[in-house]
Amino acid sequence: MKHLIALAIKFVIITLVLLVILTWAFDVSFMNTLMISLALTALSYAIGDLLIFLNAGKPTHQSTRNTLATFADFIMALAVILLIGWLLTGELASMVAPALVSALVLSAGEWFFHQYVDRSVVPWYNEYKSAKG
């Protein structure tokens, strides 16, 4: 249940950011923005939050794990928004600026989202990793 709540929070954050940047500022259609939001939420949560953030260092080094995962989330957001935006719109060059701005804003939010994941979603994971060594 905690993962579903975290996914919902992440989806809302990503969708709101992309609506403001892609749809309102760069005239990307609402449906294209929604499709990008869905894909980015799923990939970012699975890879950035669960795989990289939880395994990028010792549990006690939250800042290091957070930095690495946030950087990975930036690269992933940039790539996903650029690629899916290009596939949906047929315009690669016009998607570069929106993808870059969106990735920067989303990365700032990811820093705080990772702290939420650490405290509220997977606190057992830190205990498990600490016991293992």
Side-chain angles (χ1 to χ4, degrees), residues 81-104:
I81 296 166
L82 193 57
L83 178 64
I84 295 177
W86 172 47
L87 291 173
L88 293 173
T89 66
E91 299 178 26
L92 180 61
S94 66
M95 287 304 298
V96 172
L100 186 58
V101 171
S102 298
L104 286 169

Side-chain angles (χ1 to χ4, degrees), residues 49-92:
D49 301 329
L50 296 181
L51 183 64
I52 295 172
F53 176 64
L54 293 179
N55 295 297
K58 293 182 180 181
T60 55
H61 297 139
Q62 198 273 348
S63 182
T64 301
R65 291 184 296 116
N66 201 349
T67 300
L68 292 170
T70 300
F71 179 73
D73 281 325
F74 169 77
I75 298 298
M76 190 178 340
L78 181 63
V80 167
I81 296 166
L82 193 57
L83 178 64
I84 295 177
W86 172 47
L87 291 173
L88 293 173
T89 66
E91 299 178 26
L92 180 61

Side-chain angles (χ1 to χ4, degrees), residues 19-29 94-99 101-102:
L19 277 174
V20 170
I21 297 170
L22 296 181
T23 301
W24 294 344
F26 289 96
D27 292 326
V28 174
S29 77
S94 66
M95 287 304 298
V96 172
V101 171
S102 298

